[in-house]
Amino acid sequence: EPSYDLTPAISAFLDRHLILPLLEFHESTAPDALQPAILADKLDLLSATNMVDFAADVHSMLHPNTPTPEPFAARRERVLVVLNALAADTAPLLAHLEHAKRALAG
């Protein structure tokens, strides 16, 4: 039976965030025996992103009796620091856009 799954062929050309929905689909359709391998692939994919909470959730699904490792918490703190810094940096622009939006509406 031929395989019509193009995921391996196209995933090399996709951003990690675009591969994630493909893995989610495979996870929902794969037999139970393949679930750990798919979760391990998802965790590997997430390890290079800022989606730390999601990665920790996947880790806990893959290793249900193991506490979440400390590096997840440390990375989460670093991600939140960057997120807050970026929010502060963009606040003036967002305020200006909001003001312009109100001026156009009213």
Side-chain angles (χ1 to χ4, degrees):
E1 174 178 310
S3 174
Y4 298 104
D5 181 15
L6 296 176
T7 304
I10 66 171
S11 61
F13 303 102
L14 296 176
D15 181 78
R16 291 177 178 272
H17 298 88
L18 295 175
I19 298 172
L20 195 57
L22 296 174
L23 283 177
E24 295 277 334
F25 173 75
H26 282 293
E27 185 179 8
S28 69
T29 60
D32 289 343
L34 293 178
Q35 295 297 323
I38 293 172
L39 284 173
D41 288 344
K42 192 188 298 187
L43 185 59
D44 182 51
L45 181 76
L46 290 168
S47 68
T49 69
N50 287 333
M51 300 169 69
V52 182
D53 290 338
F54 191 24
D57 290 344
V58 171
H59 180 274
S60 66
M61 288 188 296
L62 190 58
H63 307 286
N65 298 327
T66 306
T68 304
E70 180 57 35
F72 282 104
R75 273 193 58 224
R76 184 178 194 279
E77 289 304 315
R78 288 193 306 269
V79 167
L80 288 176
V81 167
V82 171
L83 179 65
N84 290 332
L86 292 173
D89 289 347
T90 58
L93 175 63
L94 293 175
H96 175 73
L97 292 174
E98 187 62 33
H99 178 71
K101 179 179 158 185
R102 284 193 208 126
L104 289 174

